[in-house]
PDB file of all heavy atoms in Angstrom:
ATOM      1  N   LYS A  71      39.828  61.179 162.925  1.00  0.00           N
ATOM      2  CA  LYS A  71      40.394  59.884 162.542  1.00  0.00           C
ATOM      3  C   LYS A  71      41.920  59.942 162.527  1.00  0.00           C
ATOM      4  O   LYS A  71      42.588  59.021 162.996  1.00  0.00           O
ATOM      5  CB  LYS A  71      39.855  59.446 161.183  1.00  0.00           C
ATOM      6  CG  LYS A  71      40.277  58.048 160.818  1.00  0.00           C
ATOM      7  CD  LYS A  71      39.572  57.540 159.593  1.00  0.00           C
ATOM      8  CE  LYS A  71      40.016  56.120 159.291  1.00  0.00           C
ATOM      9  NZ  LYS A  71      39.353  55.601 158.101  1.00  0.00           N
ATOM     10  N   ILE A  72      42.478  61.028 162.021  1.00  0.00           N
ATOM     11  CA  ILE A  72      43.941  61.198 162.016  1.00  0.00           C
ATOM     12  C   ILE A  72      44.461  61.243 163.451  1.00  0.00           C
ATOM     13  O   ILE A  72      45.445  60.586 163.793  1.00  0.00           O
ATOM     14  CB  ILE A  72      44.350  62.486 161.260  1.00  0.00           C
ATOM     15  CG1 ILE A  72      43.981  62.403 159.791  1.00  0.00           C
ATOM     16  CG2 ILE A  72      45.833  62.794 161.444  1.00  0.00           C
ATOM     17  CD1 ILE A  72      44.615  61.294 159.029  1.00  0.00           C
ATOM     18  N   ASN A  73      43.801  62.020 164.302  1.00  0.00           N
ATOM     19  CA  ASN A  73      44.253  62.155 165.689  1.00  0.00           C
ATOM     20  C   ASN A  73      44.228  60.829 166.446  1.00  0.00           C
ATOM     21  O   ASN A  73      45.060  60.595 167.323  1.00  0.00           O
ATOM     22  CB  ASN A  73      43.411  63.196 166.422  1.00  0.00           C
ATOM     23  CG  ASN A  73      43.655  64.587 165.893  1.00  0.00           C
ATOM     24  OD1 ASN A  73      44.698  64.881 165.332  1.00  0.00           O
ATOM     25  ND2 ASN A  73      42.666  65.450 166.061  1.00  0.00           N
ATOM     26  N   LEU A  74      43.287  59.964 166.106  1.00  0.00           N
ATOM     27  CA  LEU A  74      43.196  58.666 166.776  1.00  0.00           C
ATOM     28  C   LEU A  74      44.154  57.628 166.208  1.00  0.00           C
ATOM     29  O   LEU A  74      44.564  56.710 166.906  1.00  0.00           O
ATOM     30  CB  LEU A  74      41.761  58.137 166.683  1.00  0.00           C
ATOM     31  CG  LEU A  74      40.734  58.856 167.542  1.00  0.00           C
ATOM     32  CD1 LEU A  74      39.326  58.393 167.186  1.00  0.00           C
ATOM     33  CD2 LEU A  74      41.025  58.620 169.012  1.00  0.00           C
ATOM     34  N   SER A  75      44.520  57.758 164.939  1.00  0.00           N
ATOM     35  CA  SER A  75      45.266  56.679 164.286  1.00  0.00           C
ATOM     36  C   SER A  75      46.745  56.961 164.034  1.00  0.00           C
ATOM     37  O   SER A  75      47.492  56.040 163.754  1.00  0.00           O
ATOM     38  CB  SER A  75      44.594  56.329 162.957  1.00  0.00           C
ATOM     39  OG  SER A  75      44.661  57.435 162.068  1.00  0.00           O
ATOM     40  N   LYS A  76      47.184  58.198 164.140  1.00  0.00           N
ATOM     41  CA  LYS A  76      48.575  58.537 163.810  1.00  0.00           C
ATOM     42  C   LYS A  76      49.365  58.910 165.057  1.00  0.00           C
ATOM     43  O   LYS A  76      48.888  59.652 165.903  1.00  0.00           O
ATOM     44  CB  LYS A  76      48.635  59.704 162.812  1.00  0.00           C
ATOM     45  CG  LYS A  76      47.935  59.442 161.498  1.00  0.00           C
ATOM     46  CD  LYS A  76      48.680  58.412 160.709  1.00  0.00           C
ATOM     47  CE  LYS A  76      47.989  58.143 159.391  1.00  0.00           C
ATOM     48  NZ  LYS A  76      48.596  57.061 158.671  1.00  0.00           N
ATOM     49  N   LYS A  77      50.594  58.436 165.116  1.00  0.00           N
ATOM     50  CA  LYS A  77      51.486  58.791 166.221  1.00  0.00           C
ATOM     51  C   LYS A  77      51.969  60.217 166.051  1.00  0.00           C
ATOM     52  O   LYS A  77      52.318  60.629 164.955  1.00  0.00           O
ATOM     53  CB  LYS A  77      52.717  57.891 166.227  1.00  0.00           C
ATOM     54  CG  LYS A  77      52.458  56.471 166.568  1.00  0.00           C
ATOM     55  CD  LYS A  77      53.791  55.756 166.665  1.00  0.00           C
ATOM     56  CE  LYS A  77      53.769  54.516 165.835  1.00  0.00           C
ATOM     57  NZ  LYS A  77      55.059  53.862 165.767  1.00  0.00           N
ATOM     58  N   ILE A  78      52.005  60.960 167.086  1.00  0.00           N
ATOM     59  CA  ILE A  78      52.496  62.331 167.242  1.00  0.00           C
ATOM     60  C   ILE A  78      51.976  63.330 166.210  1.00  0.00           C
ATOM     61  O   ILE A  78      52.436  64.448 166.157  1.00  0.00           O
ATOM     62  CB  ILE A  78      54.036  62.434 167.338  1.00  0.00           C
ATOM     63  CG1 ILE A  78      54.737  62.276 166.007  1.00  0.00           C
ATOM     64  CG2 ILE A  78      54.590  61.512 168.387  1.00  0.00           C
ATOM     65  CD1 ILE A  78      56.181  62.748 166.029  1.00  0.00           C
ATOM     66  N   VAL A  79      51.003  62.971 165.408  1.00  0.00           N
ATOM     67  CA  VAL A  79      50.429  63.903 164.432  1.00  0.00           C
ATOM     68  C   VAL A  79      49.107  64.419 164.975  1.00  0.00           C
ATOM     69  O   VAL A  79      48.283  63.649 165.458  1.00  0.00           O
ATOM     70  CB  VAL A  79      50.208  63.236 163.059  1.00  0.00           C
ATOM     71  CG1 VAL A  79      49.507  64.179 162.098  1.00  0.00           C
ATOM     72  CG2 VAL A  79      51.528  62.770 162.472  1.00  0.00           C
ATOM     73  N   LYS A  80      48.927  65.727 164.885  1.00  0.00           N
ATOM     74  CA  LYS A  80      47.651  66.354 165.235  1.00  0.00           C
ATOM     75  C   LYS A  80      47.051  66.931 163.968  1.00  0.00           C
ATOM     76  O   LYS A  80      47.750  67.543 163.165  1.00  0.00           O
ATOM     77  CB  LYS A  80      47.859  67.493 166.225  1.00  0.00           C
ATOM     78  CG  LYS A  80      48.298  67.090 167.595  1.00  0.00           C
ATOM     79  CD  LYS A  80      48.425  68.332 168.461  1.00  0.00           C
ATOM     80  CE  LYS A  80      48.915  67.993 169.842  1.00  0.00           C
ATOM     81  NZ  LYS A  80      49.079  69.206 170.663  1.00  0.00           N
ATOM     82  N   ALA A  81      45.765  66.762 163.812  1.00  0.00           N
ATOM     83  CA  ALA A  81      45.023  67.385 162.712  1.00  0.00           C
ATOM     84  C   ALA A  81      43.985  68.295 163.349  1.00  0.00           C
ATOM     85  O   ALA A  81      43.202  67.856 164.192  1.00  0.00           O
ATOM     86  CB  ALA A  81      44.352  66.330 161.844  1.00  0.00           C
ATOM     87  N   VAL A  82      44.000  69.570 162.965  1.00  0.00           N
ATOM     88  CA  VAL A  82      43.080  70.534 163.568  1.00  0.00           C
ATOM     89  C   VAL A  82      42.479  71.446 162.507  1.00  0.00           C
ATOM     90  O   VAL A  82      43.122  71.750 161.502  1.00  0.00           O
ATOM     91  CB  VAL A  82      43.781  71.393 164.652  1.00  0.00           C
ATOM     92  CG1 VAL A  82      44.235  70.543 165.814  1.00  0.00           C
ATOM     93  CG2 VAL A  82      44.937  72.157 164.086  1.00  0.00           C
ATOM     94  N   VAL A  83      41.249  71.860 162.764  1.00  0.00           N
ATOM     95  CA  VAL A  83      40.609  72.881 161.936  1.00  0.00           C
ATOM     96  C   VAL A  83      40.900  74.210 162.618  1.00  0.00           C
ATOM     97  O   VAL A  83      40.545  74.414 163.783  1.00  0.00           O
ATOM     98  CB  VAL A  83      39.092  72.653 161.815  1.00  0.00           C
ATOM     99  CG1 VAL A  83      38.430  73.807 161.093  1.00  0.00           C
ATOM    100  CG2 VAL A  83      38.811  71.340 161.098  1.00  0.00           C
ATOM    101  N   MET A  84      41.591  75.081 161.890  1.00  0.00           N
ATOM    102  CA  MET A  84      41.915  76.413 162.416  1.00  0.00           C
ATOM    103  C   MET A  84      41.351  77.433 161.437  1.00  0.00           C
ATOM    104  O   MET A  84      41.847  77.549 160.313  1.00  0.00           O
ATOM    105  CB  MET A  84      43.428  76.580 162.569  1.00  0.00           C
ATOM    106  CG  MET A  84      43.983  75.692 163.665  1.00  0.00           C
ATOM    107  SD  MET A  84      45.780  75.643 163.861  1.00  0.00           S
ATOM    108  CE  MET A  84      46.278  77.307 163.822  1.00  0.00           C
ATOM    109  N   GLY A  85      40.295  78.123 161.863  1.00  0.00           N
ATOM    110  CA  GLY A  85      39.672  79.104 160.983  1.00  0.00           C
ATOM    111  C   GLY A  85      39.056  78.437 159.767  1.00  0.00           C
ATOM    112  O   GLY A  85      38.179  77.601 159.880  1.00  0.00           O
ATOM    113  N   GLU A  86      39.567  78.782 158.601  1.00  0.00           N
ATOM    114  CA  GLU A  86      39.033  78.277 157.335  1.00  0.00           C
ATOM    115  C   GLU A  86      39.865  77.157 156.736  1.00  0.00           C
ATOM    116  O   GLU A  86      39.716  76.831 155.563  1.00  0.00           O
ATOM    117  CB  GLU A  86      38.952  79.428 156.321  1.00  0.00           C
ATOM    118  CG  GLU A  86      38.135  80.607 156.777  1.00  0.00           C
ATOM    119  CD  GLU A  86      36.651  80.323 156.765  1.00  0.00           C
ATOM    120  OE1 GLU A  86      36.182  79.685 155.802  1.00  0.00           O
ATOM    121  OE2 GLU A  86      35.973  80.726 157.717  1.00  0.00           O
ATOM    122  N   GLY A  87      40.788  76.566 157.505  1.00  0.00           N
ATOM    123  CA  GLY A  87      41.656  75.534 156.950  1.00  0.00           C
ATOM    124  C   GLY A  87      41.979  74.436 157.937  1.00  0.00           C
ATOM    125  O   GLY A  87      41.791  74.570 159.146  1.00  0.00           O
ATOM    126  N   VAL A  88      42.493  73.324 157.387  1.00  0.00           N
ATOM    127  CA  VAL A  88      42.958  72.206 158.192  1.00  0.00           C
ATOM    128  C   VAL A  88      44.479  72.267 158.236  1.00  0.00           C
ATOM    129  O   VAL A  88      45.127  72.456 157.205  1.00  0.00           O
ATOM    130  CB  VAL A  88      42.492  70.857 157.607  1.00  0.00           C
ATOM    131  CG1 VAL A  88      43.132  69.692 158.351  1.00  0.00           C
ATOM    132  CG2 VAL A  88      40.977  70.747 157.653  1.00  0.00           C
ATOM    133  N   PHE A  89      45.036  72.124 159.428  1.00  0.00           N
ATOM    134  CA  PHE A  89      46.475  72.086 159.645  1.00  0.00           C
ATOM    135  C   PHE A  89      46.844  70.711 160.184  1.00  0.00           C
ATOM    136  O   PHE A  89      46.129  70.164 161.015  1.00  0.00           O
ATOM    137  CB  PHE A  89      46.900  73.113 160.693  1.00  0.00           C
ATOM    138  CG  PHE A  89      46.889  74.540 160.244  1.00  0.00           C
ATOM    139  CD1 PHE A  89      45.749  75.126 159.706  1.00  0.00           C
ATOM    140  CD2 PHE A  89      48.028  75.310 160.374  1.00  0.00           C
ATOM    141  CE1 PHE A  89      45.744  76.447 159.304  1.00  0.00           C
ATOM    142  CE2 PHE A  89      48.039  76.640 159.972  1.00  0.00           C
ATOM    143  CZ  PHE A  89      46.891  77.210 159.438  1.00  0.00           C
ATOM    144  N   LEU A  90      47.966  70.197 159.751  1.00  0.00           N
ATOM    145  CA  LEU A  90      48.554  69.006 160.348  1.00  0.00           C
ATOM    146  C   LEU A  90      49.826  69.441 161.058  1.00  0.00           C
ATOM    147  O   LEU A  90      50.535  70.321 160.566  1.00  0.00           O
ATOM    148  CB  LEU A  90      48.903  67.967 159.276  1.00  0.00           C
ATOM    149  CG  LEU A  90      47.753  67.369 158.485  1.00  0.00           C
ATOM    150  CD1 LEU A  90      48.298  66.435 157.427  1.00  0.00           C
ATOM    151  CD2 LEU A  90      46.782  66.652 159.396  1.00  0.00           C
ATOM    152  N   MET A  91      50.131  68.815 162.186  1.00  0.00           N
ATOM    153  CA  MET A  91      51.367  69.162 162.884  1.00  0.00           C
ATOM    154  C   MET A  91      51.901  67.962 163.640  1.00  0.00           C
ATOM    155  O   MET A  91      51.142  67.091 164.052  1.00  0.00           O
ATOM    156  CB  MET A  91      51.151  70.345 163.818  1.00  0.00           C
ATOM    157  CG  MET A  91      50.072  70.175 164.837  1.00  0.00           C
ATOM    158  SD  MET A  91      49.614  71.704 165.666  1.00  0.00           S
ATOM    159  CE  MET A  91      48.648  72.501 164.417  1.00  0.00           C
ATOM    160  N   THR A  92      53.220  67.924 163.774  1.00  0.00           N
ATOM    161  CA  THR A  92      53.888  66.960 164.633  1.00  0.00           C
ATOM    162  C   THR A  92      54.551  67.753 165.743  1.00  0.00           C
ATOM    163  O   THR A  92      55.067  68.844 165.511  1.00  0.00           O
ATOM    164  CB  THR A  92      54.969  66.155 163.880  1.00  0.00           C
ATOM    165  OG1 THR A  92      55.892  67.054 163.295  1.00  0.00           O
ATOM    166  CG2 THR A  92      54.356  65.269 162.822  1.00  0.00           C
TER     167      THR A  92
END
Side-chain angles (χ1 to χ4, degrees):
K71 187 171 181 180
I72 296 300
N73 292 336
L74 288 171
S75 64
K76 300 291 180 186
K77 292 186 231 174
I78 76 164
V79 175
K80 291 181 182 178
V82 296
V83 173
M84 292 174 47
E86 303 287 319
V88 173
F89 286 55
L90 296 177
M91 56 193 76
T92 56

